Amino acid sequence: MVSTAEAGLVAKVDLSSQTLTVINDGRVMYRWPVSTARRGYRTPTGSWSAKRIHRMWYSRKYDMSPMPYSVFYNGGYAIHGTGAIGRLGRPASHGCVRLHPANAKVFYSLVKQNGMRNTRIVVQR
């Protein structure tokens, strides 16, 4: 496992502010609004490496909802693009971290560049 200090790419999700901060080689590159779990659902806190990525994924659990530029990090939890961009900045998901599709594409590309082993996803309150 790669630590946050050793990771080339770190995605810090702040549940309180509903933001994702992307840090590459120790430099803050981006800060984007996200949507995490709404009432009745949860976005687990913790630290993980990226486990798998998909240019396009369809949620088998939630009516085959499209999840463009998915970066899975903890079981079925992923950072991915959403069509519900009007909800970004406030809780709205079933637990995943939703991003504007353009931002999700940038993050997905950075994960591909850095490699999943060198990517750390940190979710905190």
Side-chain angles (χ1 to χ4, degrees):
M1 285 272 180
V2 65
S3 73
T4 302
E6 296 168 336
L9 181 65
V10 179
K12 286 190 176 182
V13 179
D14 186 317
L15 298 176
S16 298
S17 64
Q18 292 291 289
T19 58
L20 169 67
T21 303
V22 179
I23 302 161
N24 197 9
D25 292 327
R27 280 184 329 136
V28 172
M29 295 184 66
Y30 304 102
R31 185 166 284 124
W32 296 315
V34 297
S35 288
T36 59
R38 67 182 186 244
R39 185 186 293 284
Y41 297 92
R42 72 182 196 95
T43 300
T45 57
S47 180
W48 302 269
S49 60
K51 304 290 191 266
R52 58 191 171 94
I53 62 174
H54 298 276
R55 163 66 188 79
M56 178 56 85
W57 185 258
Y58 293 93
S59 172
R60 295 181 186 120
K61 190 171 182 179
Y62 296 107
D63 302 318
M64 298 305 284
S65 296
M67 299 166 60
Y69 305 107
S70 292
V71 178
F72 285 87
Y73 60 89
N74 178 23
Y77 294 96
I79 296 172
H80 64 82
T82 182
I85 58 174
R87 294 183 171 178
L88 293 173
R90 61 186 190 269
S93 79
H94 289 110
C96 283
V97 178
R98 294 180 182 174
L99 277 174
H100 189 287
N103 298 337
K105 183 178 183 178
V106 169
F107 180 64
Y108 174 89
S109 296
L110 286 168
V111 173
K112 282 185 77 169
Q113 262 182 308
N114 282 274
M116 289 186 290
R117 284 185 160 172
N118 295 319
T119 299
R120 200 92 189 112
I121 290 100
V122 179
V123 180
Q124 56 198 18
R125 293 205 181 285

